[in-house]
Amino acid sequence: MRETSAQRREVKLFIDGEYVPSAANKTFPVHNPATQEIIADVHEATREDVDRACQAARRAFETGPWRTMTIKERCAKVRRMAEIIMERQEELARLEALDVGKPYPVAFEFEIPRAAHNLKFFADFVEQHGSETYPMEEAYLNYTRYEPVGVAALITPWNLPFMLTTWKLGPCLAAGNTAVIKPAEPTPLTVSLLGEIAKEAGIPDGVVNIVQGFGPGSTGEFMTTHPEVDLISFTGETKTGKAIMKNGADTLKRVSFELGGKAANIVFEDADLEKAIPTSIRAAFLNSGQVCLAGSRILIQRSIFDEFVERFRSAASMLKVGDPQDSSTNMGPLVSEEHYLKVTSYINIAEAEHSQLVFGGKRPELPHYLSNGYYLEPTIYIQENPQARICQEEIFGPIVTLIPFDTEEEALQIANNTEYGLNAVVWTESLQRAHRVAHKVRAGTVWVNCWFVRDLRAPFGGFKKSGIGREGGHHSLEFFTEAKTVCLALS
Ligand code: NAD
């Protein structure tokens, strides 16, 4: 089934257990990025709507049963949400493909199951989580309690809407907090359904609220300045993180930020190219390159540079760009017109910087019904100057830059010479070099001979301007809880 505008939807706000229109009854359109057809009219939350959502979350936190029910009972409800998500896997994956423009199989096989796993993982994790005790001789005993913080604002970007929202919602709910969620304005559809999923799972009204709208001067800003919001978990652009930090400062909100990236994917001459090339293709073009962890700068040792370029170009030329709902599609469109214009502006920038075009750079030839879609071919440049803008700035699209290097020191120097530090990838068959380079790269995650795999207990986050704090396992729990010491006299 191809999802089309025939199913044009009305997306309301979810406040205190009910879907409601915005107080101003104001809506904005959402487009299918593959065709530009309008697929939804979304209610934009006003300041008054955000206030109602935050007050509902506060009431549910202070007086509702959520915080005081047993951990077992609470986690069972979070786990039930995960089961319902898997029961609705196909519907959610179709909607995600329609809204974001990502290939349906990517949503169906990876993102929706991972979203369910995020909830289940944190429900299990919280249930099994212990705490420290510190006996002081025979006289006193200190022990720690991890208590929920309060009302959390969860603000997410458009590239992995459902997956990233559940990544925050899992630890938030399992730890006993309540939430006001805001998905990104171009991609509200799947996250909007979390309201009915929470309700069906038996989560009390007011615990999960979902508001829709824009960032500055709109819903996002109303949330981050609201006095009832205690903490903000945000994933998005570095510049938005700065604005949120300023806006949250007056009410001293706790923040966790997952921000932009410009990962170096370093290929040494002893790399196994049979593995490095297909994985580097995925790292560059998965989700049309709209992945914070994308390996958008490939650093290649000069002795294998020409061979790598030719094999990488040939693999990129095999990618099928097309309809996101078609299961044979490898790459869909970019998410919106605004983003398409931003990404394609880098083609002019690359030319002005004398980058050498290896492949792509144009709209692909596509069937007529996709002729208005925001499509760009997988695009590959060679650039010798690592200071060039295409080597420094986060493009967040299917544009990858190949940069030659001679020595390990030079590779590290180039890899570390950006304002970002989210992740890096290293390809080598030398164990010593793998560890050496992994230790010296200034990034939150370093993948050696792989990409995009991670145990959810491991810390995830960025060095430098790629973030503040870590998510994953007990790192998420630390953010979503207040640690309390109880010191007891034993005699
Ligand atoms: P964005 O920062 O423009 O928007 C993200 C969210 O913040 C949206 O919901 C938006 O409406 C909201 N927002 C914008 N301005 C706001 C403000 N002033 N106050 C409150 N909310 C505001 O990001 P995007 O374009 O949606 O997503 C792409 C970015 O996300 C890229 O930089 C990418 O690297 C980053 N990202 C990072 C990770 C990670 O884990 N580090 C994961 C995915 C995406």
Side-chain angles (χ1 to χ4, degrees):
M1 178 186 68
R2 187 189 306 145
E3 293 268 357
T4 69
S5 61
Q7 290 108 0
R8 185 163 168 170
R9 302 152 177 79
E10 182 183 8
V11 176
K12 293 186 178 169
L13 316 173
F14 186 76
I15 299 177
D16 211 5
E18 301 297 332
Y19 283 98
V20 292
S22 89
N25 219 3
K26 190 172 152 203
T27 62
F28 61 93
V30 165
H31 298 89
N32 174 355
T35 61
Q36 283 196 37
E37 290 166 296
I38 296 179
I39 51 172
D41 297 292
V42 182
H43 286 259
E44 181 181 348
T46 60
R47 195 184 286 278
E48 187 186 335
D49 295 313
V50 170
D51 184 53
R52 279 194 301 131
C54 294
Q55 297 293 353
R58 172 59 59 195
R59 270 195 310 280
F61 182 74
E62 299 294 345
T63 60
W66 187 241
R67 182 163 52 129
T68 51
M69 68 176 61
T70 62
I71 292 177
K72 204 174 172 56
E73 208 182 335
R74 193 163 65 223
C75 290
K77 292 183 192 302
V78 176
R79 230 177 267 116
R80 180 68 196 127
M81 282 184 78
E83 286 166 9
I84 299 168
I85 287 170
M86 288 311 285
E87 288 160 15
R88 299 177 67 170
Q89 181 180 6
E90 177 170 0
E91 174 200 0
L92 288 164
R94 286 273 169 226
L95 273 184
E96 201 76 316
L98 176 72
D99 209 8
V100 186
K102 64 182 66 215
Y104 169 73
V106 175
F108 183 79
E109 285 158 26
F110 165 65
E111 289 178 29
I112 303 304
R114 169 64 197 276
H117 186 57
N118 287 340
L119 293 168
K120 181 177 177 311
F121 168 82
F122 279 109
D124 294 347
F125 193 86
V126 166
E127 232 175 41
Q128 290 162 18
H129 196 246
S131 75
E132 320 90 273
T133 59
Y134 298 103
M136 297 166 71
E137 305 299 335
E138 296 300 312
Y140 300 94
L141 177 69
N142 296 260
Y143 65 90
T144 314
R145 284 173 51 78
Y146 290 92
E147 300 183 359
V149 184
V151 175
L154 311 181
I155 303 180
T156 48
W158 46 257
N159 63 329
L160 303 153
F162 200 66
M163 198 288 268
L164 286 176
T165 302
T166 51
W167 176 235
K168 298 180 184 305
L169 190 63
C172 170
L173 292 185
N177 301 281
T178 59
V180 180
I181 299 170
K182 193 193 92 61
E185 52 274 24
T187 57
L189 298 186
T190 50
V191 172
S192 156
L193 296 180
L194 279 171
E196 58 187 61
I197 291 169
K199 203 161 174 109
E200 189 184 334
I203 309 259
D205 292 350
V207 171
V208 174
N209 304 276
I210 305 163
V211 290
Q212 307 282 356
F214 300 81
S218 174
T219 318
E221 190 175 316
F222 304 151
M223 290 166 78
T224 55
T225 49
H226 198 285
E228 293 297 351
V229 168
D230 299 299
L231 62 173
I232 304 170
S233 178
F234 167 74
T235 298
E237 283 191 53
T238 298
K239 71 171 184 335
T240 311
K242 291 180 192 173
I244 290 178
M245 203 164 189
K246 282 187 193 142
N247 288 337
D250 274 348
T251 42
L252 214 62
K253 298 188 194 314
R254 183 185 293 194
V255 295
S256 163
F257 288 165
E258 299 295 348
L259 307 176
K262 187 74 184 175
N265 178 3
I266 312 171
V267 187
F268 286 98
E269 60 192 359
D270 64 343
D272 178 350
L273 293 189
E274 287 297 315
K275 292 186 185 133
I277 287 176
T279 306
S280 300
I281 287 281
R282 255 187 95 227
F285 300 121
L286 181 73
N287 209 25
S288 302
Q290 302 167 122
V291 177
C292 53
L293 303 163
S296 54
R297 294 184 293 158
I298 310 187
L299 282 47
I300 307 147
Q301 201 149 21
R302 209 175 290 274
S303 52
I304 57 159
F305 189 76
D306 291 345
E307 180 191 356
F308 185 95
V309 172
E310 182 41 36
R311 289 173 68 175
F312 189 76
R313 188 203 59 77
S314 161
S317 72
M318 308 296 278
L319 292 175
K320 186 177 167 215
V321 184
D323 186 342
Q325 300 292 337
D326 179 345
S327 3
S328 67
T329 294
N330 301 118
M331 228 179 78
L334 292 160
V335 73
S336 64
E337 182 180 19
E338 185 190 349
H339 191 58
Y340 177 79
L341 294 174
K342 178 196 151 184
V343 170
T344 50
S345 75
Y346 279 93
I347 291 175
N348 295 335
I349 293 169
E351 276 170 20
E353 291 176 323
H354 310 293
S355 311
Q356 180 189 333
L357 181 68
V358 175
F359 187 78
K362 322 184 287 304
R363 276 186 66 85
E365 297 282 328
L366 290 170
H368 182 66
Y369 75 97
L370 299 175
S371 57
N372 289 329
Y374 307 119
Y375 283 96
L376 177 65
E377 289 174 334
T379 298
I380 307 169
Y381 287 104
I382 295 174
Q383 175 54 265
E384 292 264 352
N385 174 13
Q387 291 303 114
R389 284 182 64 188
I390 61 164
C391 301
Q392 290 289 325
E393 297 173 16
E394 187 185 42
I395 301 174
F396 219 60
I399 300 182
V400 63
T401 311
L402 312 183
I403 309 170
F405 70 86
D406 290 302
T407 62
E408 189 177 305
E409 290 66 37
E410 190 189 354
L412 276 164
Q413 204 275 329
I414 299 171
N416 287 333
N417 182 24
T418 74
E419 61 173 354
Y420 296 111
L422 189 57
N423 64 298
V425 191
V426 182
W427 294 94
T428 177
E429 293 294 291
S430 155
L431 192 61
Q432 289 78 6
R433 173 184 278 156
H435 286 291
R436 215 165 43 228
V437 174
H439 294 190
K440 289 185 184 163
V441 170
R442 304 262 303 144
T445 301
V446 182
W447 278 293
V448 180
N449 298 334
C450 60
W451 178 72
F452 221 50
V453 235
R454 188 168 48 87
D455 189 306
L456 299 192
R457 291 168 297 185
F460 176 78
F463 281 34
K464 302 192 269 182
K465 297 211 171 49
S466 286
I468 296 180
R470 294 291 181 272
E471 296 184 313
H474 73 85
H475 304 275
S476 292
L477 274 199
E478 272 164 28
F479 178 71
F480 282 108
T481 55
E482 295 277 17
K484 177 188 281 179
T485 298
V486 180
C487 180
L488 180 79
L490 294 175
S491 59

